[in-house]
Amino acid sequence: MKTVRNNRTIKGDVLFTAMILFSMVLMACSKSDPPQNPEPIPIGGSAIKGTVKDEKGNPYPKTGVTFSKGSEKVEMITNVSGNFEGETKDLGTYSATLLPPLSTEIVTNLPVSVNVQANQTATVDFVIQPQSVKAHLNFGSVQILEEIVDMNGNTPTDPNEPLYAKNNFDEPLGLLTEIKAPDGHQVILSEFQTAQGNMIVHCNGNSSTIEIALEGMIPNGTYTFWLAFLKKTRKVGEQIDFANDFVNFNNPPIGASNGTENIAVADASGKIDVTLEHGSCILTDEVALVIPVLYHINGQTFGGGHVPDPEEMVHMLVYFQ
């Protein structure tokens, strides 16, 4: 009897073996291949730091720096050392701008491009320069409350007209006080109008130096300098709302609160050339500042708080904006 092998059985064995090998390959691949649709890995921003200083290296606190990229804006404020730091939400190129302190010029070219990269800290240093600010005569279009008047309470026009200071705060309101020089003569309009000069303020962290250079002041006259911080900027000559615009009800003196450090006496030619100190950066304390220069008619000065209206008049005004 002839024996014949079943070809179908042989083919079946080969197919079964191939299927086992294919399954093993699939199992091996499933252990090493990553998923086809992995969850996205979020990409965060990175740190930015820097400084705001003048050309001499003096730091300016409370100064705002803004970094922008598309709709994102990151704002940072300098500390007492002039340093700022923070983090962005994204990576890439940001544009940096600076809101400078009052009456300063930005030396650094703006805007600054900053390349923010992962796991790195970008550094941006800004340089500013304080500017000399003109002192304006408290008269005419710049005059506050029409304080300087003639004997009839009107704005004087004659250069030889004797001047009076009008009460605006103390009773009796409207009282006129002769503006006299230390030698006893009554100051006339032409003498009053010779005053001119400027101020420049330098900050160094929580301190300021105020360089004062005035001339044409009342010879040997006693003057004081005050910090009239404002809640909003005011242009020179723009009306100031005394009830709402001032930050402080009584404007503080430059220097010590008792008023012993804001006094200067003009020399015999009417010059005042002094440097005063203050315990904060007056260019960054508030949004705007006017420094009134007060002449003390009787030579007496006063500390912080109320200054008697009949005993002083504002000779000059210096606007830091």
Side-chain angles (χ1 to χ4, degrees), residues 161-189:
E161 198 160 11
L163 300 184
Y164 294 78
K166 181 177 67 175
N167 267 25
N168 288 309
F169 301 104
D170 288 347
E171 297 291 345
L173 296 179
L175 172 70
L176 303 184
T177 301
E178 294 181 356
I179 300 176
K180 290 189 175 183
D183 64 7
H185 83 275
Q186 190 169 355
V187 176
I188 62 175
L189 179 60

Side-chain angles (χ1 to χ4, degrees), residues 57-90:
N58 297 318
Y60 283 70
K62 303 178 186 176
T63 302
V65 181
T66 301
F67 294 87
S68 304
K69 179 176 179 286
S71 60
E72 181 188 358
K73 286 189 176 181
V74 181
E75 296 180 346
M76 305 176 194
I77 302 293
T78 58
N79 60 18
V80 68
S81 299
N83 299 324
F84 63 86
E85 61 180 329
E87 290 187 355
T88 62
K89 296 180 180 179
D90 201 355

Side-chain angles (χ1 to χ4, degrees), residues 53-302:
K53 297 182 178 181
D54 65 18
E55 292 180 318
K56 295 182 179 179
N58 297 318
Y60 283 70
K62 303 178 186 176
T63 302
V65 181
T66 301
F67 294 87
S68 304
K69 179 176 179 286
S71 60
E72 181 188 358
K73 286 189 176 181
V74 181
E75 296 180 346
M76 305 176 194
I77 302 293
T78 58
N79 60 18
V80 68
S81 299
N83 299 324
F84 63 86
E85 61 180 329
E87 290 187 355
T88 62
K89 296 180 180 179
D90 201 355
L91 303 177
T93 301
Y94 281 75
S95 178
T97 57
L98 173 72
L99 180 62
L102 300 176
S103 299
T104 63
E105 183 179 86
I106 302 174
V107 177
T108 304
N109 292 326
L110 295 181
V112 176
S113 293
V114 184
N115 185 17
V116 178
Q117 301 181 45
N119 302 317
Q120 295 185 21
T121 300
T123 301
V124 185
D125 294 322
F126 294 94
V127 179
I128 61 172
Q129 184 62 36
Q131 300 297 294
S132 178
V133 180
K134 179 182 178 181
H136 295 270
L137 190 70
N138 180 36
F139 190 74
S141 62
V142 184
Q143 187 171 186
I144 292 180
L145 295 177
E146 301 298 322
E147 181 185 20
I148 309 302
V149 297
D150 61 17
M151 63 183 301
N152 298 312
N154 301 317
T155 300
T157 57
D158 183 348
N160 296 312
E161 198 160 11
L163 300 184
Y164 294 78
K166 181 177 67 175
N167 267 25
N168 288 309
F169 301 104
D170 288 347
E171 297 291 345
L173 296 179
L175 172 70
L176 303 184
T177 301
E178 294 181 356
I179 300 176
K180 290 189 175 183
D183 64 7
H185 83 275
Q186 190 169 355
V187 176
I188 62 175
L189 179 60
S190 59
E191 291 178 292
F192 178 83
Q193 289 180 308
T194 60
Q196 60 181 335
N198 58 72
M199 293 185 189
I200 185 169
V201 174
H202 300 272
C203 289
N204 188 352
N206 272 345
S207 67
S208 304
T209 57
I210 302 94
E211 299 175 5
I212 301 169
L214 303 174
E215 59 183 44
M217 312 299 283
I218 298 172
N220 302 310
T222 299
Y223 289 87
T224 56
F225 306 83
W226 303 78
L227 299 172
F229 289 114
L230 299 174
K231 299 176 183 177
K232 58 184 72 175
T233 58
R234 290 295 189 191
K235 295 180 182 178
V236 177
E238 186 176 2
Q239 185 176 359
I240 294 176
D241 184 343
F242 279 76
N244 300 303
D245 287 355
F246 286 118
V247 173
N248 303 299
F249 180 75
N250 288 316
N251 296 317
I254 290 177
S257 60
N258 62 8
T260 58
E261 299 175 350
N262 74 332
I263 304 168
V265 177
D267 67 16
S269 66
K271 287 186 178 181
I272 297 176
D273 188 4
V274 298
T275 298
L276 303 180
E277 306 285 337
H278 192 73
S280 69
C281 179
I282 62 175
L283 299 182
T284 59
D285 283 344
E286 301 293 345
V287 297
L289 169 66
V290 176
I291 296 183
V293 181
L294 272 60
Y295 171 68
H296 293 261
I297 298 172
N298 60 3
Q300 300 297 313
T301 60
F302 304 86

